[in-house]
Amino acid sequence: MSFRHLEPRTGETTAQVIRFALWPIAILTVLNRVIVKAVNGNITDDFRPVYNAALAFLNRREVYTANFDSVDPHYLYPPSGTLIIAPLAVLDPERSRWLFIGVNAVAVIVALYLLLRMFELGLSSVAAPVVLLAAFSTETVTNTLIFTNINGLILLGEVLFMMLLLRRHPYWSGAAIGLTIAVKPTLAPLLLLPLVRKEWRVFVTAVGIPVVLTLLAIPLSVDPMAFVSHTVPYLLETRDYFNSAIVGNGLYYGLPTALVLALRAVFAVMVLVSLWLLWKYYRHDELFFVTTAGGLLLVASFLLASLGQMYYSMMLFPLIMSVVLRNSVMRNWPAWLAVYGFLSYDSWLVGRFPEFGRSIEYLRTTWGWSLIIVVIFAVLVGRYLTARREGRLDGGIDPAFLLDENTTSPKPVPATTAGTAATH
C-alpha cells in the first residue's frame, strides 16, 4: 500500500492555496452564526412579535395591537406581509424560529451565489469563499440571524430582481421585488431603475403582487385598517433609538433642526448629482449601472429617510461586489473605510471612556453610509471633470487607462463582465 495517496492535496497556485485555506474557515463561520449565535439568540428578538402576529392572524384575533411607547421590537408588517408570514405559526415558537433562521441563512447563501454569477464568477474562483466568509462575519448577517428577522429573504429578493432585470425577464424581476415590498418596503427605491430604463412590464408584478396579496389579506384579517390608523403613524415618526439615519442621530444628540435639514439637503444633492452622472454616462454599462445606482438609492434611503438601522446594510452587498469591475467606484480605500463603518461586527464601546466609545459606536453606521455617498459622488464628479478637461466627454467618463485598455486589447471584454472573466 502506498501512503502517498494519503498526502493532502497541495495547492499548485496561490489562488488554490487561498481557496483551501478559506473554505473551511468560511463554512465553520456560517455554522457558528447559524447553530450557535442565532440559536442562542439575544435580548433583541425580532421574531417573537412576528410569530405572535402570525398566530393571531390564524386564530382570527387582532394583529395590530402593539404598544409603541416601549422600545421592544414591534410588529410592523402590512396585511399582505401578515398573510405571507402566517404559516410560521403552524409550528411551535421554538421550532418555527429555528426554521426561520435556517431559511434566512439559506437565502443569504443563495443570494451570494447569485451575486457571484451576476459578475461571472464561479464557486471555483477565489471570490467564492472570500464572499461567504466576509458576509457571515458582518454585523448585518450576524444580527439578522441572531435577532431572527426577514432581511436574508429581502436580500435574495433584491439580487433576483437585479439579475432578472439584467437578463430581460421583467415580469419575474418585478415578482421578486414585489414579494419583498408586500412584507416591507425596504427595496422600493430600486423601482427607480426600471422606471428610468422604461421597463414598464416590471411594474405589472412589482405593484400587482402587493396589491393582490393585500386584497386577499383584508377579508381574512380582523383589523386590517388598524395598520393604517395605528401602525402607519408610528412608521412615519422619527425615533431617537436604534436609528442611524441623520434625523435619528440628530434627535438623539439634540442637534438643531436647521443643521439636520442642511445635512440631509447636502447629501441629497450629492445623491442626485451622482445618479444623473450614472444615468448619462453609464446606463448602457448595465451591470455597473444597476449595482452602483441601486446601492446608491438604498444607502440614500437609509441615511436620509426617517429610519435607518445598521442591518439594512446587507442590501448594499451588490454595490460592494461591484468592486470586481474595472470601473467600479469601490476601488479606493475610503470606500472600504465606509464599508467597515456600516458592516463591521466590532463593538467600539470602551469601558474606561464610555462617552467616547458610545459616540463612535452609535455614529459609525451613519458616517459609514455618509462616506460611501461622498465616495461615489467624488469618484463620479472627478471622472467627469477629468474627461471634460481632456475633451473626451463624448466617449464617456471612465478613467483614461480603461479607455486605453479597450482600444489596445485584441479581444475587448464586455463592460458588464470587465475584470471578472480571468478569475475563473
Side-chain angles (χ1 to χ4, degrees), residues 148-192:
T148 318
N149 60 52
I150 203 170
N151 286 339
L153 289 166
I154 301 297
L155 173 66
L156 179 58
E158 176 191 9
V159 176
L160 284 170
F161 164 74
M162 289 183 173
M163 173 176 281
L164 294 167
L165 188 68
L166 291 169
R167 295 187 178 182
R168 301 294 191 274
H169 298 297
Y171 296 120
W172 288 109
S173 177
I177 196 171
L179 284 170
T180 71
I181 293 173
V183 178
K184 56 195 299 189
T186 307
L187 301 182
L190 293 181
L191 290 176
L192 184 63

Side-chain angles (χ1 to χ4, degrees), residues 47 50-59 85-93 96:
F47 182 73
V50 170
Y51 182 87
N52 289 341
L55 188 64
F57 179 82
L58 290 182
N59 287 279
I85 59 94
L88 287 173
V90 172
L91 298 175
D92 63 88
S96 182

Side-chain angles (χ1 to χ4, degrees), residues 115-150:
L115 263 182
L116 289 171
R117 299 308 305 149
M118 272 179 60
F119 291 92
E120 300 207 354
L121 294 164
L123 293 179
S124 61
S125 69
V126 176
V130 170
V131 167
L132 184 64
L133 175 60
F136 277 81
S137 297
T138 62
E139 183 276 346
T140 179
V141 172
T142 301
N143 279 344
T144 285
L145 298 175
I146 293 174
F147 299 164
T148 318
N149 60 52
I150 203 170

